[in-house]
């Protein structure tokens, strides 16, 4: 509270962390509020909490930590000193009359004594491997076997996701743990943070999915055990290499130890197959538009697995353009959802932004010119002292992006004679894009499929759908595969 009065920006780090991020004179400080009950002292709890909080704070961009400790509490002062804290000041009467607080600060990362760096896990933290399958009736066991459960892992960017699908394509679990909060401060995904966060949560996300699958099947004995799965799928690429490696290494170890086959999946194919979750009878040939944070592609899907990429972006991906425009306006990250919300009440014809590479038969995309036009517009208006009408700007920007998407998709449909169209990637969650394609192409007799909203941005359900089909066809990956950050369709 004191910090809130004195300092410019105070923010709760996360619900389960007792600390605040404080922006002060250009540096970020984390303020901690940690107390350990008397009966639990001397078990290293404070040290663990401190190292956890300070680690998260550092990931959020903090450079120092500060705390108050009562003068005379020698045990606590010694602990903090060992972590690198030094006295920075005093608060008189902080803990009541005559009881002063010593203010201590430390640079991040904290000094973690070697003997405490990786403490032995307690008995409660350890699990025997192989995890035993819970007691099941013979019917339950037969049912689980019949379903041929495939567990799939996605970790290509800033989402750690795990889904479990059965042989009929029924999704029994679909867990997504997002790291967006940890990247938002930096205005984009920070690869090192992404990797670390995947490492931290992957075990618990897998556990949660195994529990969900048991619940979906009405099994009362407990979570699905690894031995009860039929296969393990994983995103092999494309994406951030350090993020992919976490999923791939985990999947390999998990599958190998459980004695199950490994199935590697192309993330881009995942975005395509997300459409099958909405329209199971979608069949090639058709035209597919992929619009995500990393990719912009127009694809002629001639058969499953036979893809002709008609055109790609020469510079920014569509999602990236949304993110950059939002950043230029100081609106936050990721930009897509923010801009599409603003655009709801805006006039798409208010500002005439350029449409690039607009000639027939040219399936390439370019978004950097549009991005520059938007930036220039913001500068001009600001200089002229006019307030920018954000909804109009957002709607006009969207219109410029989506007009081009529509036109090229329409041309590709005509040129190939395809009667089906679908779309995928984070930007396909945009309501205006979905509506435009469904309405305008629908009027021309094209059947338009859009993925369920939950399967547009990165998720493991779409990876599970690809893995299930590959597993069905016997397309198993060897255990010496590596993540492939530059995989193409
Ligand atoms: O597919 P995705 O989750 O990650 C990649 O594989 O890249 O896509 C993320 C991108 C971000 O750039 C985000 O701004 C954009 O999708 N996005 C949107 C919307 N929701 C997410 N763009 C426009 N409108 C939206 N509603
Ligand atoms: Zn994606």
């Amino acid at each position: 509270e004191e910090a809130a009065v004195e300092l410019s920006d105070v923010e709760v780090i996360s619900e389960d962390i007792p600390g605040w991020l404080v922006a002060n004179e250009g540096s970020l400080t984390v303020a901690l509020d940690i107390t350990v009950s008397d009966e639990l002292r001397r078990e290293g709890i404070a040290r663990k909490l401190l190292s956890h909080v300070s680690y998260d704070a550092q990931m959020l961009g903090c450079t120092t930590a500060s705390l108050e400790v009562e003068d005379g509490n020698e045990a606590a002062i010694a602990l903090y000193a060992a972590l690198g804290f030094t006295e920075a000041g005093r608060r008189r009467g902080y803990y009541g009359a005559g009881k002063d607080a010593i203010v201590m600060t430390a640079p991040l990362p904290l000094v973690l004594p070697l003997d405490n760096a990786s403490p032995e896990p307690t008995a409660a933290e350890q699990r025997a491997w192989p995890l035993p399958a819970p007691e099941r009736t013979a019917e339950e066991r037969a049912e689980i076997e019949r379903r041929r459960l495939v567990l799939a892992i996605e970790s290509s960017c800033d989402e750690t996701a795990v889904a479990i699908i059965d042989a009929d394509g029924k999704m029994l679990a679909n867990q997504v743990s997002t790291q967006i909060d940890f990247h938002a401060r930096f205005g984009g995904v920070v690869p090192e943070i992404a990797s670390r966060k995947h490492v931290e949560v992957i075990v618990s996300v897998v556990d949660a999915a195994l529990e969900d699958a048991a619940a979906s099947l009405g099994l009362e004995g407990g979570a699905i055990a690894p031995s009860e799965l039929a296969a393990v799928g994983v995103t092999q690429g494309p994406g951030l290499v350090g993020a992919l490696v976490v999923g791939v290494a985990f999947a390999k170890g998990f599958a190998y130890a459980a004695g199950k086959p490994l199935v590697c999946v192309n993330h881009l194919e995942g975005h395509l197959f997300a459409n099958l979750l909405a329209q199971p009878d979608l069949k090639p040939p058709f035209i597919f538009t992929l619009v995500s944070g990393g990719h912009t592609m127009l694809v002629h899907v001639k058969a499953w697995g036979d893809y002709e990429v008609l055109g790609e972006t020469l510079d920014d991906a569509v999602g990236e353009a949304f993110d950059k425009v939002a950043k230029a306006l100081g609106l936050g990250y990721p930009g897509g959802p923010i801009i599409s919300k603003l655009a709801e009440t805006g006039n798409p014809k208010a500002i005439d932004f350029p449409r690039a590479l607009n000639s027939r038969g040219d399936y390439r995309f370019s978004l950097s010119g549009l991005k520059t036009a938007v930036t220039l517009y913001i500068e001009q208006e600001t200089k002229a002292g006019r307030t920018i009408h954000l909804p109009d700007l957002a709607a006009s920007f969207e219109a410029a992006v989506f007009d081009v998407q529509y036109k090229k998709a329409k041309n590709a449909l005509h040129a190939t004679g395809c009667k089906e169209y679908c779309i995928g990637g984070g930007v396909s969650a945009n309501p205006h894009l979905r509506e435009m394609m469904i309405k305008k192409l629908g009027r021309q007799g094209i059947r338009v499929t859009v993925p369920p909203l939950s399967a547009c941005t990165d998720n493991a359900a779409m990876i599970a759908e690809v893995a299930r089909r590959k597993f069905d066809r016997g397309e198993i990956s060897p255990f010496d595969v590596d993540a492939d950050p530059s995989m193409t369709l």
Side-chain angles (χ1 to χ4, degrees):
E1 280 167 275
E2 186 176 323
V5 175
E6 284 179 7
L7 305 168
S8 55
D9 177 17
V10 177
E11 181 186 326
V12 175
I13 297 177
S14 92
E15 280 168 25
D16 47 46
I17 299 173
W20 295 265
L21 265 190
V22 182
N24 182 25
E25 292 165 4
S27 78
L28 278 167
T29 299
V30 59
L32 312 174
D33 184 2
I34 295 174
T35 312
V36 178
S37 315
D38 283 342
E39 68 274 19
L40 292 173
R41 297 237 161 108
R42 310 205 57 81
E43 290 187 19
I45 293 172
R47 194 194 302 261
K48 268 193 187 168
L49 281 170
L50 264 170
S51 68
H52 182 77
V53 171
S54 64
Y55 167 77
D56 272 356
Q58 199 194 357
M59 288 297 117
L60 288 164
C62 289
T63 50
T64 57
S66 76
L67 52 80
E68 287 99 9
V69 56
E70 190 173 348
D71 191 8
N73 183 350
E74 296 306 331
I77 293 171
L79 164 69
Y80 301 143
L83 294 169
F85 283 90
T86 53
E87 183 170 335
R90 263 165 193 275
R91 295 195 208 283
R92 301 248 167 257
Y94 187 79
Y95 295 105
K99 294 181 176 176
D100 294 351
I102 299 178
V103 180
M104 299 182 88
T105 60
L108 295 178
L110 296 181
V111 181
L112 289 178
L114 277 180
D115 63 349
N116 207 61
S118 52
E120 282 297 306
T122 63
E125 286 168 340
Q126 291 184 42
R127 280 181 289 182
W129 184 274
L131 297 177
E135 282 199 16
R136 310 262 195 226
T137 64
E139 294 89 75
E140 284 174 340
R141 277 203 302 275
E143 177 65 5
I144 294 171
E145 193 154 325
R146 187 191 70 74
R147 296 228 181 200
R148 286 164 61 84
L149 303 178
V150 177
L151 176 143
I153 298 171
E154 152 67 34
S155 74
S156 67
C157 192
D158 59 348
E159 252 84 45
T160 320
V162 178
I164 298 177
I165 196 169
D166 75 6
D168 304 323
K170 185 157 183 258
M171 211 60 68
L172 303 176
N174 187 8
Q175 285 278 345
V176 184
S177 164
T178 182
Q179 318 169 343
I180 281 182
D181 288 352
F182 286 91
H183 300 287
R185 178 168 303 279
F186 302 100
V189 176
V190 183
E192 288 80 0
I193 296 179
S195 314
R196 286 176 187 223
K197 290 287 149 193
H198 286 309
V199 171
E200 284 174 22
V201 304
I202 194 161
V203 173
S204 54
V205 181
V206 167
D207 278 344
L210 291 167
E211 275 165 27
D212 285 357
S216 299
L217 292 172
L219 299 170
E220 274 159 23
I224 295 289
S227 59
E228 293 176 312
L229 296 169
V232 177
V234 66
T235 300
Q236 187 185 6
L240 302 169
V241 65
L244 288 165
V245 157
V246 178
V248 171
F250 184 94
K252 286 202 283 190
F254 187 74
Y256 183 79
K260 303 295 169 183
L262 179 73
V263 182
C264 285
V265 174
N266 181 324
H267 181 82
L268 304 180
E269 205 170 18
H271 277 304
L272 166 61
F273 278 53
N275 286 281
L276 287 164
L277 305 174
Q279 189 72 264
D281 68 350
L282 177 70
K283 275 192 194 68
F286 57 81
I287 296 295
F288 166 58
T289 295
L290 173 59
V291 271
S292 69
H295 291 85
T296 300
M297 288 180 169
L298 191 61
V299 185
H300 182 193
V301 178
K302 298 174 175 175
W304 293 120
D306 183 3
Y307 309 120
E308 186 189 352
V309 178
L310 301 174
E312 290 186 74
T313 179
L314 301 176
D315 35 59
D316 293 346
V318 171
E320 196 181 351
F322 271 84
D323 296 338
K324 285 181 176 170
V325 166
K327 195 174 182 178
L329 290 165
L331 296 174
Y333 173 86
I338 302 168
I339 299 222
S340 69
K341 187 99 196 68
L342 278 170
E344 271 170 24
T345 54
N347 172 11
K349 296 202 172 105
I351 311 157
D352 189 21
F353 286 128
R355 275 80 167 149
L357 304 173
N358 218 1
S359 66
R360 208 185 174 86
D362 189 346
Y363 297 122
R364 298 169 307 163
F365 301 88
S366 169
L367 286 119
S368 67
L370 171 60
K371 183 190 65 197
T372 309
V374 174
T375 320
L376 276 177
Y377 176 85
I378 298 170
E379 274 173 26
Q380 266 169 20
E381 296 298 295
T382 311
K383 241 190 218 151
R386 288 189 286 267
T387 37
I388 294 168
H389 193 273
L390 288 177
D392 281 356
L393 176 66
S396 303
F397 165 74
E398 275 197 351
V401 176
F402 296 159
D403 277 355
V404 175
Q405 289 297 328
Y406 164 71
K407 220 167 172 188
K408 290 186 195 284
K410 185 186 77 174
N411 289 344
L413 283 157
H414 284 208
T416 57
C418 290
K419 292 283 172 233
E420 289 239 27
Y421 173 79
C422 64
I423 192 162
V427 185
S428 66
N430 186 291
H432 307 108
L433 179 62
R434 293 161 80 94
E435 192 187 294
M436 178 177 191
M437 294 300 189
I438 291 169
K439 264 201 195 146
K440 285 184 148 182
L441 292 177
R443 249 184 252 138
Q444 298 164 52
I446 307 290
R447 186 172 81 154
V448 177
T449 300
V450 294
L453 275 179
S454 64
C456 291
T457 45
D458 289 346
N459 65 90
M462 66 187 195
I463 304 303
E465 178 65 23
V466 182
R468 169 179 83 93
R469 288 164 179 254
K470 286 183 94 168
F471 177 53
D472 234 22
R473 293 193 300 267
E475 290 178 41
I476 305 301
S477 309
F479 280 113
D480 62 356
V481 288
D482 272 326
D484 181 355
S486 49
M487 235 172 168
T488 54
L489 251 192

